Amino acid sequence: MSAVWHYFKRTTSESPTATCKVCGVEVSRGGANRVSYNTTNLIKHLKKHHPDEHAAYCKATASATDGLHQQTLRDSLKRKDLLPRDSERFRKITELIVECIAGDDQPISLVENSGFCRLINYLEPRYGMPSRHYIVEKGIPALHTLA
Ligand SMILES: [Zn+2]
C-alpha cells in the first residue's frame, strides 16, 4: 500500500474519493471505478496544499525504495558469493586457464567462450571468469614469473 494513505482515509476501499486527513477535503481518486483509481491526485493534493506532508511522503517513499534496493543488492552479492581474486583457489584456477591459453596455444578469447565459461562455472560456481584484459595484464605475466 502506498505511503500516501498515511495522509488520507477512505470510507471504504470502493470509495471514489479519499478524505485528506490534514484539511478534511475530499479528493477524487482519479477514476470512475476501482480499477482506474490511482494515488496521483492524492499526491498532487499533498504537493499543492500541504508541502510539509508532501516532503515527508516523498522521504518515506524514497527510503522504502532505498531499503528495497539495498536488499536486492545484498541478495545479488550473496547469490554470487565469488571467490576473492587473491584467494589461493582463484589464483590456481586462473593459472591453469592461463597455462591452457599460453601453453596449448589457445586464443585469449577462450575466457569469453560460452561453452568454456559454462564448464568452469559448473566445476566451480564461485569462480568469476576474468576478462581478457585481466588475463593479459595479470595472468600471463604471473605465469612468466613462475616459469
Ligand atoms: Zn488536504
Side-chain angles (χ1 to χ4, degrees):
M1 195 166 87
S2 169
V4 80
W5 289 110
H6 187 62
Y7 305 100
F8 291 90
K9 60 182 179 215
R10 294 163 287 187
T11 318
T12 71
S13 62
E14 310 288 330
S15 305
T17 59
T19 307
C20 174
K21 286 186 192 173
V22 186
C23 65
V25 159
E26 285 202 358
V27 183
S28 162
R29 292 173 68 193
N33 57 61
R34 208 180 159 182
V35 200
S36 54
Y37 289 169
N38 59 69
T39 51
T40 312
N41 275 355
L42 308 183
I43 297 164
K44 272 190 204 154
H45 174 88
L46 272 189
K47 192 175 182 179
K48 195 171 170 195
H49 300 280
H50 317 295
D52 288 350
E53 281 76 8
H54 182 256
Y57 160 75
C58 289
K59 215 174 149 191
T61 309
S63 61
T65 314
D66 272 5
L68 198 69
H69 181 68
Q70 278 166 13
Q71 183 66 39
T72 315
L73 197 66
R74 260 200 306 277
D75 281 356
S76 67
L77 285 175
K78 203 171 149 194
R79 219 177 9 255
K80 280 188 177 167
D81 205 14
L82 295 177
L83 290 168
R85 288 203 163 178
D86 57 359
S87 68
E88 185 59 31
R89 189 162 170 80
F90 180 89
R91 283 196 221 179
K92 188 66 201 171
I93 296 173
T94 307
E95 193 186 307
L96 290 168
I97 292 173
V98 172
E99 272 184 28
C100 189
I101 291 169
D104 295 342
D105 228 3
Q106 296 292 323
I108 292 170
S109 61
L110 179 69
V111 297
E112 290 168 352
N113 180 307
S114 62
F116 181 73
C117 291
R118 270 203 305 278
L119 169 70
I120 297 295
N121 188 258
Y122 180 76
L123 297 171
E124 178 49 275
R126 293 174 303 154
Y127 184 78
M129 187 64 74
S131 63
R132 291 162 71 139
H133 182 78
Y134 184 90
I135 297 293
V136 173
E137 295 290 315
K138 308 262 172 139
I140 295 177
L143 192 71
H144 287 301
T145 315
L146 290 170

